[in-house]
Amino acid sequence: MRTIPIEDFFRNSAETAYQISPDGSHLSYMAPWHDRMNVFVKPLSGDAEPVRLTGETLRSVAGYLWASPTRILFVKDTGGDENYQLFGVNINGTDLRAYTSFPGVRTTIIDDLEEQPDEVLIGLNRRNPEVFDPYRLNLTTGELTLLAENPGNWQGWTTDHDGRLRVVYAIVDGVNTQILYRDSEDEPFVPVLTTNFKDNVTFLEFTPDNRLVYAATNLNRDKTALVLMDPHTCREVEVLYEDPTYDISSITYSRRRKKLLSVYCTGHKEPVRHFFDDDERAFREHLRAFFPGKRYGIADSDRAEERYLLYVGGDRTRGAYYYYDRATDQPRLICQTAPWLNEDEMVEMHPITYVTRDGLRIEAYLSLPAGHTPETARALPLVVNPHGGPWARDTWGFCSEVQFLCNRGYAVLQMNFRGSTGYGRRFLEASYKQWGLKMQDDITDGVRYLIDRGIADPQRIAIYGGSYGGYATLAGLAFTPDLYACGVDYVGVSNLFTFMKTIPPYWRPMLEMMYEQVGHPEKDHDHLAATSPALHADCITAPLFVAQGANDPRVNKAESDQMVEALRSRGVEVEYMVKDDEGHGFHNEENRFDFYRAMERFLARHIGAER
């Protein structure tokens, strides 16, 4: 198998993030311009050339949406600081306007107000950097109308089908969450449910008459279920769906038909979807037949739900977009997101499971160099890749990092250690105050599983991760120093004391929850000291590569600085890459290239061909 150029794995997609205009007349997408991802739009019919709507050259547009059939909104930050600002532009490229260009202020989208094309609901932490106030933004005049002043503990909102702000999610007493509700915007918000943060009740969508809600909840159960709920009391009216293995993760609701269509769970490989509507089930099965052996999803639709964008992918392709019109009933290929990657040169992602030392079943993914299978692989160099979050999860599908590493001859192990989301509250809560302890054991046990089966060469194992995965990398090198030959820490936490002192201001209202999840710097001082890798740098002997964004608002640069300084003072080999125009992860293409080139050289020296 040929060595594929590193740029082919990590260059920007040719075209991606396709959306369809509300009236179904235009397609929008993001594509490179001066090596940055910008927004383009083109008519669905005719041969007109696409119009480039944005001209960002310093940093890619972070995201965009249709505000109306003729106007698009987009957001961008500065150098990775995550203080997103909102802009708008007409689809002919005119009237480019900055709506929230306030220095040091972060903009969030609350509701795009699909039925009100001249308005959008947004959140701004302009008045107080720790909390967001909800505003109604007039896209024509730029006027901002404050809808309610955040008293200091509101964390989110839900609107009804008329775009009215009806629900607030708040934090009370540091570790309790509260739902506040009102029937109309003329009324005050009234608390209707207060629970510990470990209990989850989230209103996903109002019923068509705006009286009841479809809610996701784990109250009095382990797995998060979909229920019909009375928002006045949070009383469950009916349990609509509950899966025995996974939490529900999303629902599909038709605004045109005013109907709940389906509920979705993320499975180990295949998704779990339950239908409430026979026509929707038949429609989905009809679409699936066009793409045998592939995974597909509906990326977007017009307001009439007659024209659709389909995303079709798998574990060996970055994916493609298709246009589908119910009238013609024939999907039309729009683009391959990475046409330079040959699917036949990519490798499979194998779902596997193993059992931890204390009896937890872990779902994981094993990817192997071409020509190997889980049954035949023997003594391969292994890169262990724990995910970030940590309250997130890995899923089956295409991953550029995995394909790159396998192409270079490494096996890759990813695992959903305890605390990974989607597996129920017991699995989640089993991770609390277990950073560097049982969470790390889950990673270690996965490595031992591959060693015991002869798949991994015990002398050629590296650990690599970003964010929490970076912490797990440092913890692996410090607490199981004989297991790993080297490590790559990408924007990772090294010191739990300093980490919690330097979190973004809008995380501070959740600090008491973090103390319960990770540990309190005073009450659990010895615990945090024992699990902070920077305080155990004397245990690390394996070579380390550290990469950090200078503007990272989540994991401050000091997290990497102190670890690098502690190791270099002892003569441990440390390579340190800092990018001054990046934040929590490298988004600019040239920085990604630099990072993965350096990683390639580092791994080759310590577990690869140059070893």
Side-chain angles (χ1 to χ4, degrees):
M1 184 64 70
R2 74 182 180 103
T3 299
I4 299 170
I6 203 167
E7 292 81 3
D8 285 0
F9 291 108
F10 300 111
R11 61 193 281 198
N12 293 322
S13 294
E15 297 174 8
T16 191
Y18 263 87
Q19 297 181 29
I20 192 168
S21 63
D23 63 359
S25 64
H26 286 75
L27 294 177
S28 57
Y29 59 97
M30 293 179 67
W33 184 72
H34 289 273
D35 297 329
R36 301 293 181 259
M37 298 301 284
N38 280 275
V39 181
F40 293 74
V41 68
K42 60 185 177 183
L44 253 173
S45 59
D47 299 321
E49 288 294 311
V51 175
R52 177 175 53 80
L53 300 183
T54 63
E56 301 303 316
T57 58
L58 295 179
R59 192 167 181 82
S60 296
V61 169
Y64 78 95
L65 58 87
W66 285 87
S68 73
T70 59
R71 193 162 181 81
I72 278 177
L73 304 179
F74 65 95
V75 294
K76 63 176 184 175
D77 71 348
T78 302
D81 64 4
E82 299 186 10
N83 288 322
Y84 298 106
Q85 299 179 348
L86 180 67
F87 298 79
V89 61
N90 290 334
I91 61 172
N92 62 4
T94 63
D95 193 24
L96 174 63
R97 194 183 308 186
Y99 289 117
T100 62
S101 58
F102 311 122
V105 174
R106 179 183 173 106
T107 306
T108 64
I109 304 294
I110 298 173
D111 193 332
D112 61 359
L113 299 179
E114 185 177 291
E115 303 300 327
Q116 301 167 45
D118 295 327
E119 293 183 329
V120 65
L121 298 188
I122 63 172
L124 295 172
N125 61 341
R126 184 183 182 188
R127 181 180 57 84
N128 179 347
E130 294 189 10
V131 298
F132 292 82
D133 298 316
Y135 290 85
R136 187 177 296 270
L137 170 63
N138 186 300
L139 299 176
T140 302
T141 66
E143 181 182 4
L144 284 164
T145 302
L146 181 66
L147 298 180
E149 188 170 293
N150 192 328
N153 64 340
W154 292 358
Q155 294 296 303
W157 302 269
T158 294
T159 56
D160 64 16
H161 294 296
D162 297 322
R164 296 175 298 181
L165 210 59
R166 299 275 300 279
V167 183
V168 167
Y169 304 93
I171 297 174
V172 293
D173 302 324
V175 294
N176 291 325
T177 55
Q178 188 173 76
I179 295 177
L180 299 94
Y181 174 78
R182 64 185 182 186
D183 278 322
S184 73
E185 292 186 327
D186 298 327
E187 301 175 5
F189 287 106
V190 176
V192 293
L193 179 69
T194 302
T195 64
N196 184 271
F197 77 94
K198 299 174 185 177
D199 296 316
N200 171 45
V201 178
T202 303
F203 295 171
L204 302 176
E205 196 86 49
F206 274 83
T207 53
D209 58 7
N210 285 327
R211 290 182 57 252
L212 301 177
V213 292
Y214 302 114
T217 177
N218 66 0
L219 283 178
N220 304 312
R221 50 175 62 89
D222 180 53
K223 304 298 188 294
T224 299
L226 178 65
V227 305
L228 186 64
M229 184 172 280
D230 184 343
H232 298 86
T233 61
C234 289
R235 179 182 64 86
E236 293 184 16
V237 177
E238 181 183 357
V239 177
L240 300 175
Y241 180 76
E242 187 169 11
D243 189 84
T245 307
Y246 304 110
D247 296 327
I248 70 157
S249 56
S250 64
I251 62 172
T252 304
Y253 179 89
S254 169
R255 293 190 181 187
R256 183 186 68 82
R257 297 165 60 191
K258 298 184 178 357
K259 193 172 187 181
L260 178 67
L261 301 180
S262 66
V263 59
Y264 177 90
C265 303
T266 302
H268 194 185
K269 179 180 178 181
E270 295 299 325
V272 178
R273 189 181 294 275
H274 175 81
F275 291 94
F276 301 102
D277 181 82
D278 290 340
D279 291 339
E280 179 70 6
R281 182 197 303 273
F283 177 55
R284 294 275 185 159
E285 291 176 352
H286 178 68
L287 291 178
R288 181 188 297 276
F290 287 114
F291 308 106
K294 298 287 186 182
R295 178 79 58 80
Y296 90 94
I298 294 177
D300 199 12
S301 72
D302 65 355
R303 196 167 295 170
E305 297 178 12
E306 293 294 331
R307 302 175 182 90
Y308 293 83
L309 288 174
L310 308 179
Y311 176 80
V312 180
D315 58 345
R316 297 190 298 131
T317 171
R318 202 187 288 182
Y321 285 91
Y322 287 78
Y323 170 69
Y324 174 81
D325 190 325
R326 284 182 185 264
T328 58
D329 190 30
Q330 187 61 49
R332 171 170 62 86
L333 177 66
I334 299 173
C335 79
Q336 295 280 349
T337 59
W340 50 84
L341 288 176
N342 183 346
E343 184 173 346
D344 292 336
E345 293 183 309
M346 301 296 106
V347 300
E348 292 182 62
M349 179 180 282
H350 302 278
I352 65 171
T353 61
Y354 61 89
V355 178
T356 66
R357 65 191 70 179
D358 60 347
L360 275 186
R361 178 180 178 271
I362 301 293
E363 291 188 347
Y365 302 97
L366 176 64
S367 302
L368 300 167
H372 297 276
T373 68
E375 293 74 30
T376 63
R378 290 294 179 269
L380 294 173
L382 172 69
V383 177
V384 182
N385 182 213
H387 63 72
W391 299 292
R393 62 161 295 159
D394 275 321
T395 57
W396 182 88
F398 183 86
C399 176
S400 293
E401 287 185 328
V402 169
Q403 295 293 340
F404 157 65
L405 291 169
C406 289
N407 183 257
R408 296 312 191 254
Y410 306 112
V412 181
L413 174 65
Q414 301 163 287
M415 73 293 292
N416 285 321
F417 46 80
R418 72 188 69 202
S420 300
T421 54
Y423 296 97
R425 66 185 300 165
R426 286 193 294 271
F427 192 83
L428 179 66
E429 292 171 19
S431 70
Y432 291 171
K433 296 188 179 181
Q434 293 300 315
W435 286 40
L437 299 172
K438 290 183 178 179
M439 294 170 75
Q440 197 70 29
D441 290 345
D442 293 348
I443 298 169
T444 303
D445 291 347
V447 180
R448 296 291 184 198
Y449 173 85
L450 295 186
I451 292 173
D452 291 346
R453 277 151 187 76
I455 294 173
D457 179 347
Q459 303 303 313
R460 294 191 295 164
I461 299 175
I463 183 167
Y464 156 62
S467 195
Y468 175 83
Y471 167 85
T473 293
L474 298 176
L477 297 185
F479 307 139
T480 52
D482 297 332
L483 189 60
Y484 300 110
C486 63
V488 181
D489 162 28
Y490 185 39
V491 299
V493 174
S494 71
N495 183 325
L496 296 176
F497 295 101
T498 55
F499 165 63
M500 286 191 276
K501 286 181 180 177
T502 56
I503 59 174
Y506 40 84
W507 284 14
R508 287 184 194 132
M510 297 176 282
L511 197 54
E512 290 293 332
M513 295 183 189
M514 291 182 65
Y515 291 159
E516 286 211 7
Q517 294 170 313
V518 182
H520 193 284
E522 296 175 2
K523 299 175 184 176
D524 302 305
H525 180 276
D526 293 348
H527 169 82
L528 294 187
T531 53
S532 291
L535 304 182
H536 299 273
D538 59 321
C539 298
I540 296 178
T541 56
L544 177 65
F545 172 34
V546 178
Q548 177 70 47
N551 305 315
D552 192 337
R554 306 187 210 179
V555 178
N556 191 276
K557 180 175 174 288
E559 291 298 305
S560 292
D561 288 347
Q562 60 186 295
M563 176 56 78
V564 171
E565 181 180 352
L567 292 179
R568 285 180 173 171
S569 69
R570 294 179 43 248
V572 176
E573 178 189 338
V574 182
E575 182 176 347
Y576 192 19
M577 176 181 289
V578 178
K579 294 297 183 180
D580 292 335
D581 57 349
E582 295 285 8
H584 197 60
F586 295 172
H587 293 267
N588 290 349
E589 187 177 67
E590 68 276 11
N591 293 334
R592 293 200 303 272
F593 292 165
D594 284 350
F595 171 63
Y596 290 110
R597 285 192 198 104
M599 181 195 289
E600 179 178 28
R601 293 191 297 267
F602 180 83
L603 292 175
R605 284 199 307 272
H606 298 294
I607 65 168
E610 297 178 20
R611 181 176 177 269

